[in-house]
Amino acid sequence: MKFKLNLLEKFIELPAADLQELRQVFDDLGLEVKDVSGEGQDRVFTIETLAHRGDHLCALGIAREFGARYLSTLKQPQISQELSDRKPSFSVKNHTDK
């Protein structure tokens, strides 16, 4: 799985860390780093997740693990309160008699 570092920073505040420290944290969390590409905040980690850790298959799950590691609070993504204002992107038709 490819994972961008700036995506992680949308959910938690990371302390200044070098590449070696970040790789160590990924490894400690059970996320094996296969490759690292890019520079700075555009850095992309290619990681391998464990089969029994479904929470590591999304950015929020990985951010929770990093937040616990660094004792930083998790920023929850904003969810729209008014979904009724949104227009559907496709139409739904009922083709049955009932």
Side-chain angles (χ1 to χ4, degrees):
M1 174 171 112
K2 294 199 181 282
F3 190 79
K4 285 186 97 174
L5 185 60
N6 63 1
L7 181 62
L8 186 62
E9 291 185 334
K10 288 183 180 182
F11 296 108
I12 64 168
E13 297 219 11
L14 284 176
D18 63 345
L19 180 60
Q20 280 301 101
E21 183 181 346
L22 287 173
R23 283 189 82 135
Q24 182 65 38
V25 173
F26 272 111
D27 286 339
D28 288 349
L29 297 176
L31 299 164
E32 183 181 348
V33 177
K34 295 290 187 180
D35 186 39
V36 180
S37 61
E39 292 293 323
Q41 297 307 319
D42 292 329
R43 186 165 281 146
V44 177
F45 290 89
T46 303
I47 57 175
E48 187 170 318
T49 61
L50 297 173
H52 69 284
R53 293 295 307 261
D55 58 328
H56 285 171
L57 297 176
C58 67
L60 186 58
I62 294 173
R64 283 188 187 128
E65 293 286 337
F66 267 83
R69 174 65 166 229
Y70 288 117
L71 301 174
S72 89
T73 58
L74 190 66
K75 301 179 217 171
Q76 293 293 335
Q78 292 184 353
I79 300 173
S80 174
Q81 298 296 324
E82 296 292 328
L83 293 178
S84 61
D85 293 343
R86 295 181 62 188
K87 294 180 182 179
S89 60
F90 57 91
S91 62
V92 177
K93 296 178 184 177
N94 187 0
H95 294 285
T96 61
D97 293 335
K98 290 187 175 185

